PDB file of all heavy atoms in Angstrom:
ATOM      1  N   GLU M 972      36.206  98.187  55.326  1.00  0.00           N
ATOM      2  CA  GLU M 972      36.517  99.626  55.440  1.00  0.00           C
ATOM      3  C   GLU M 972      35.960 100.176  56.726  1.00  0.00           C
ATOM      4  O   GLU M 972      36.581 101.005  57.419  1.00  0.00           O
ATOM      5  CB  GLU M 972      35.903 100.379  54.286  1.00  0.00           C
ATOM      6  CG  GLU M 972      36.806 100.308  53.002  1.00  0.00           C
ATOM      7  CD  GLU M 972      38.174 100.964  53.236  1.00  0.00           C
ATOM      8  OE1 GLU M 972      38.243 102.188  53.599  1.00  0.00           O
ATOM      9  OE2 GLU M 972      39.219 100.240  53.146  1.00  0.00           O
ATOM     10  N   LYS M 973      34.801  99.699  57.133  1.00  0.00           N
ATOM     11  CA  LYS M 973      34.212 100.152  58.373  1.00  0.00           C
ATOM     12  C   LYS M 973      35.093  99.670  59.557  1.00  0.00           C
ATOM     13  O   LYS M 973      35.141 100.356  60.615  1.00  0.00           O
ATOM     14  CB  LYS M 973      32.803  99.588  58.491  1.00  0.00           C
ATOM     15  CG  LYS M 973      32.026 100.146  59.664  1.00  0.00           C
ATOM     16  CD  LYS M 973      30.575  99.633  59.639  1.00  0.00           C
ATOM     17  CE  LYS M 973      29.804 100.225  60.813  1.00  0.00           C
ATOM     18  NZ  LYS M 973      28.412  99.701  60.869  1.00  0.00           N
ATOM     19  N   GLY M 974      35.731  98.511  59.412  1.00  0.00           N
ATOM     20  CA  GLY M 974      36.559  97.963  60.477  1.00  0.00           C
ATOM     21  C   GLY M 974      37.969  98.547  60.532  1.00  0.00           C
ATOM     22  O   GLY M 974      38.777  98.153  61.374  1.00  0.00           O
ATOM     23  N   ARG M 975      38.293  99.434  59.628  1.00  0.00           N
ATOM     24  CA  ARG M 975      39.611 100.055  59.562  1.00  0.00           C
ATOM     25  C   ARG M 975      39.931 100.866  60.881  1.00  0.00           C
ATOM     26  O   ARG M 975      41.057 100.959  61.338  1.00  0.00           O
ATOM     27  CB  ARG M 975      39.780 100.920  58.311  1.00  0.00           C
ATOM     28  CG  ARG M 975      41.150 101.566  58.163  1.00  0.00           C
ATOM     29  CD  ARG M 975      41.131 102.504  56.990  1.00  0.00           C
ATOM     30  NE  ARG M 975      40.955 101.777  55.758  1.00  0.00           N
ATOM     31  CZ  ARG M 975      41.998 101.231  55.048  1.00  0.00           C
ATOM     32  NH1 ARG M 975      43.203 101.318  55.489  1.00  0.00           N
ATOM     33  NH2 ARG M 975      41.732 100.593  53.941  1.00  0.00           N
ATOM     34  N   VAL M 976      38.905 101.503  61.460  1.00  0.00           N
ATOM     35  CA  VAL M 976      39.087 102.317  62.680  1.00  0.00           C
ATOM     36  C   VAL M 976      39.191 101.441  63.935  1.00  0.00           C
ATOM     37  O   VAL M 976      38.322 100.606  64.192  1.00  0.00           O
ATOM     38  CB  VAL M 976      37.875 103.289  62.832  1.00  0.00           C
ATOM     39  CG1 VAL M 976      38.047 104.158  64.054  1.00  0.00           C
ATOM     40  CG2 VAL M 976      37.728 104.139  61.579  1.00  0.00           C
ATOM     41  N   PRO M 977      40.259 101.590  64.778  1.00  0.00           N
ATOM     42  CA  PRO M 977      40.420 100.804  66.009  1.00  0.00           C
ATOM     43  C   PRO M 977      39.272 101.142  66.931  1.00  0.00           C
ATOM     44  O   PRO M 977      38.741 102.265  66.918  1.00  0.00           O
ATOM     45  CB  PRO M 977      41.728 101.258  66.554  1.00  0.00           C
ATOM     46  CG  PRO M 977      42.501 101.813  65.428  1.00  0.00           C
ATOM     47  CD  PRO M 977      41.438 102.453  64.544  1.00  0.00           C
ATOM     48  N   PRO M 978      38.827 100.219  67.822  1.00  0.00           N
ATOM     49  CA  PRO M 978      37.727 100.544  68.737  1.00  0.00           C
ATOM     50  C   PRO M 978      38.055 101.669  69.710  1.00  0.00           C
ATOM     51  O   PRO M 978      37.104 102.325  70.146  1.00  0.00           O
ATOM     52  CB  PRO M 978      37.547  99.168  69.443  1.00  0.00           C
ATOM     53  CG  PRO M 978      38.812  98.456  69.222  1.00  0.00           C
ATOM     54  CD  PRO M 978      39.335  98.877  67.959  1.00  0.00           C
ATOM     55  N   GLU M 979      39.339 101.894  70.022  1.00  0.00           N
ATOM     56  CA  GLU M 979      39.703 102.949  70.917  1.00  0.00           C
ATOM     57  C   GLU M 979      39.428 104.333  70.373  1.00  0.00           C
ATOM     58  O   GLU M 979      39.408 105.319  71.105  1.00  0.00           O
ATOM     59  CB  GLU M 979      41.181 102.857  71.295  1.00  0.00           C
ATOM     60  CG  GLU M 979      41.604 101.584  72.079  1.00  0.00           C
ATOM     61  CD  GLU M 979      41.832 100.389  71.169  1.00  0.00           C
ATOM     62  OE1 GLU M 979      41.755 100.570  69.886  1.00  0.00           O
ATOM     63  OE2 GLU M 979      42.125  99.309  71.660  1.00  0.00           O
ATOM     64  N   GLU M 980      39.228 104.396  68.998  1.00  0.00           N
ATOM     65  CA  GLU M 980      39.090 105.733  68.359  1.00  0.00           C
ATOM     66  C   GLU M 980      37.678 106.026  67.833  1.00  0.00           C
ATOM     67  O   GLU M 980      37.420 107.121  67.366  1.00  0.00           O
ATOM     68  CB  GLU M 980      40.068 105.843  67.179  1.00  0.00           C
ATOM     69  CG  GLU M 980      41.543 105.743  67.618  1.00  0.00           C
ATOM     70  CD  GLU M 980      42.523 105.830  66.490  1.00  0.00           C
ATOM     71  OE1 GLU M 980      42.046 106.193  65.374  1.00  0.00           O
ATOM     72  OE2 GLU M 980      43.650 105.521  66.671  1.00  0.00           O
ATOM     73  N   ILE M 981      36.777 105.034  67.943  1.00  0.00           N
ATOM     74  CA  ILE M 981      35.483 105.259  67.263  1.00  0.00           C
ATOM     75  C   ILE M 981      34.641 106.304  67.940  1.00  0.00           C
ATOM     76  O   ILE M 981      33.730 106.848  67.372  1.00  0.00           O
ATOM     77  CB  ILE M 981      34.695 103.937  67.159  1.00  0.00           C
ATOM     78  CG1 ILE M 981      34.390 103.409  68.526  1.00  0.00           C
ATOM     79  CG2 ILE M 981      35.387 102.894  66.319  1.00  0.00           C
ATOM     80  CD1 ILE M 981      33.303 102.304  68.545  1.00  0.00           C
ATOM     81  N   PHE M 982      34.930 106.583  69.265  1.00  0.00           N
ATOM     82  CA  PHE M 982      34.134 107.618  69.962  1.00  0.00           C
ATOM     83  C   PHE M 982      34.868 108.940  70.071  1.00  0.00           C
ATOM     84  O   PHE M 982      34.477 109.821  70.824  1.00  0.00           O
ATOM     85  CB  PHE M 982      33.710 107.131  71.382  1.00  0.00           C
ATOM     86  CG  PHE M 982      32.846 105.901  71.351  1.00  0.00           C
ATOM     87  CD1 PHE M 982      33.332 104.648  71.714  1.00  0.00           C
ATOM     88  CD2 PHE M 982      31.539 106.020  70.877  1.00  0.00           C
ATOM     89  CE1 PHE M 982      32.536 103.554  71.683  1.00  0.00           C
ATOM     90  CE2 PHE M 982      30.725 104.913  70.845  1.00  0.00           C
ATOM     91  CZ  PHE M 982      31.203 103.631  71.223  1.00  0.00           C
ATOM     92  N   ARG M 983      35.947 109.037  69.262  1.00  0.00           N
ATOM     93  CA  ARG M 983      36.734 110.331  69.260  1.00  0.00           C
ATOM     94  C   ARG M 983      36.637 110.953  67.905  1.00  0.00           C
ATOM     95  O   ARG M 983      36.456 110.229  66.915  1.00  0.00           O
ATOM     96  CB  ARG M 983      38.199 110.045  69.620  1.00  0.00           C
ATOM     97  CG  ARG M 983      38.439 109.442  70.998  1.00  0.00           C
ATOM     98  CD  ARG M 983      39.938 109.190  71.211  1.00  0.00           C
ATOM     99  NE  ARG M 983      40.201 108.568  72.523  1.00  0.00           N
ATOM    100  CZ  ARG M 983      40.415 109.228  73.592  1.00  0.00           C
ATOM    101  NH1 ARG M 983      40.391 110.567  73.613  1.00  0.00           N
ATOM    102  NH2 ARG M 983      40.639 108.605  74.764  1.00  0.00           N
ATOM    103  N   PRO M 984      36.747 112.261  67.831  1.00  0.00           N
ATOM    104  CA  PRO M 984      36.761 112.944  66.531  1.00  0.00           C
ATOM    105  C   PRO M 984      37.948 112.425  65.733  1.00  0.00           C
ATOM    106  O   PRO M 984      38.962 112.073  66.270  1.00  0.00           O
ATOM    107  CB  PRO M 984      36.910 114.404  66.866  1.00  0.00           C
ATOM    108  CG  PRO M 984      36.423 114.527  68.303  1.00  0.00           C
ATOM    109  CD  PRO M 984      36.813 113.232  68.944  1.00  0.00           C
ATOM    110  N   PRO M 985      37.834 112.199  64.412  1.00  0.00           N
ATOM    111  CA  PRO M 985      36.704 112.735  63.591  1.00  0.00           C
ATOM    112  C   PRO M 985      35.584 111.708  63.393  1.00  0.00           C
ATOM    113  O   PRO M 985      34.736 111.906  62.547  1.00  0.00           O
ATOM    114  CB  PRO M 985      37.408 113.002  62.255  1.00  0.00           C
ATOM    115  CG  PRO M 985      38.459 111.919  62.157  1.00  0.00           C
ATOM    116  CD  PRO M 985      38.942 111.694  63.585  1.00  0.00           C
ATOM    117  N   ASN M 986      35.676 110.564  64.162  1.00  0.00           N
ATOM    118  CA  ASN M 986      34.676 109.511  63.998  1.00  0.00           C
ATOM    119  C   ASN M 986      33.333 109.888  64.621  1.00  0.00           C
ATOM    120  O   ASN M 986      32.312 109.234  64.337  1.00  0.00           O
ATOM    121  CB  ASN M 986      35.200 108.203  64.564  1.00  0.00           C
ATOM    122  CG  ASN M 986      36.508 107.728  63.877  1.00  0.00           C
ATOM    123  OD1 ASN M 986      36.506 107.647  62.627  1.00  0.00           O
ATOM    124  ND2 ASN M 986      37.563 107.555  64.658  1.00  0.00           N
ATOM    125  N   VAL M 987      33.373 110.876  65.531  1.00  0.00           N
ATOM    126  CA  VAL M 987      32.117 111.468  66.077  1.00  0.00           C
ATOM    127  C   VAL M 987      32.298 113.007  66.029  1.00  0.00           C
ATOM    128  O   VAL M 987      33.442 113.492  65.996  1.00  0.00           O
ATOM    129  CB  VAL M 987      31.841 110.983  67.498  1.00  0.00           C
ATOM    130  CG1 VAL M 987      31.559 109.495  67.543  1.00  0.00           C
ATOM    131  CG2 VAL M 987      32.985 111.335  68.444  1.00  0.00           C
ATOM    132  N   PRO M 988      31.226 113.784  65.980  1.00  0.00           N
ATOM    133  CA  PRO M 988      31.387 115.229  65.923  1.00  0.00           C
ATOM    134  C   PRO M 988      32.063 115.790  67.212  1.00  0.00           C
ATOM    135  O   PRO M 988      31.937 115.212  68.311  1.00  0.00           O
ATOM    136  CB  PRO M 988      29.936 115.754  65.843  1.00  0.00           C
ATOM    137  CG  PRO M 988      29.187 114.567  65.343  1.00  0.00           C
ATOM    138  CD  PRO M 988      29.816 113.338  65.881  1.00  0.00           C
ATOM    139  N   ASP M 989      32.859 116.891  66.996  1.00  0.00           N
ATOM    140  CA  ASP M 989      33.510 117.521  68.143  1.00  0.00           C
ATOM    141  C   ASP M 989      32.451 117.902  69.207  1.00  0.00           C
ATOM    142  O   ASP M 989      31.399 118.411  68.860  1.00  0.00           O
ATOM    143  CB  ASP M 989      34.285 118.771  67.684  1.00  0.00           C
ATOM    144  CG  ASP M 989      35.558 118.446  66.972  1.00  0.00           C
ATOM    145  OD1 ASP M 989      36.089 117.314  67.172  1.00  0.00           O
ATOM    146  OD2 ASP M 989      35.995 119.262  66.153  1.00  0.00           O
TER     147      ASP M 989
END
Side-chain angles (χ1 to χ4, degrees):
E972 277 297 301
K973 189 176 180 181
R975 182 183 294 274
V976 180
E979 295 85 1
E980 297 179 12
I981 62 166
F982 297 108
R983 298 178 184 272
N986 300 306
V987 295
D989 285 337

